Amino acid sequence: MASNYNKILFKDYENLQNEYDRIKQENKMLLLRAIIAEDEERRLKNKIDKYNNIILEKTKLIDELRRENERLKAISNNDGTNSGIPTSQTPIGKKKVIPNF
């Protein structure tokens, strides 16, 4: 009877050992996947930061160009009626307004 009991215990021990080895291997794989995921997350964060910096630079450039455009429009809209430019220098195609003093 004792030998049969020992065989059952040994079989249970072997099953537990196999289960432990399987779980240990699965744990190694999960740890490896976690490390890979962390590396991927870090890589993507760096990429996002890079693109955010590019967007910020482009936004600043757009604002600068918009201000320059507005400045040039204001300059081009000057004529004899709203500045000290003589009517003889009014661009071709614009209506010349001759003041009546």
Side-chain angles (χ1 to χ4, degrees):
M1 178 89 179
S3 114
N4 194 20
Y5 183 71
N6 286 340
K7 287 180 185 178
I8 292 172
L9 283 177
F10 186 72
K11 189 66 172 168
D12 286 343
Y13 170 77
E14 282 182 333
N15 289 338
L16 289 173
Q17 187 65 38
N18 289 339
E19 182 68 14
Y20 170 76
D21 290 340
R22 186 190 66 75
I23 291 172
K24 187 176 175 182
Q25 184 65 26
E26 184 180 347
N27 189 30
K28 283 182 184 179
M29 293 301 293
L30 290 173
L31 286 173
L32 182 60
R33 287 175 63 189
I35 291 170
I36 291 170
E38 287 171 355
D39 288 345
E40 183 69 8
E41 179 186 18
R42 193 175 309 111
R43 186 186 68 79
L44 290 173
K45 280 183 180 179
N46 288 338
K47 205 171 204 178
I48 288 170
D49 289 342
K50 176 183 156 189
Y51 287 134
N52 283 340
N53 288 338
I54 290 171
I55 289 170
L56 184 63
E57 289 174 12
K58 299 297 182 189
T59 303
K60 286 179 182 178
L61 179 61
I62 288 169
D63 288 341
E64 186 178 312
L65 290 173
R66 188 174 286 133
R67 282 191 301 271
E68 179 68 9
N69 189 20
E70 292 299 320
R71 185 185 71 80
L72 292 174
K73 278 183 182 179
I75 290 173
S76 70
N77 286 334
N78 287 344
D79 59 15
T81 62
N82 59 9
S83 68
I85 298 173
T87 56
S88 62
Q89 291 182 0
T90 300
I92 297 174
K94 264 193 168 181
K95 182 180 177 188
K96 289 187 180 188
V97 177
I98 300 173
N100 189 5
F101 291 116

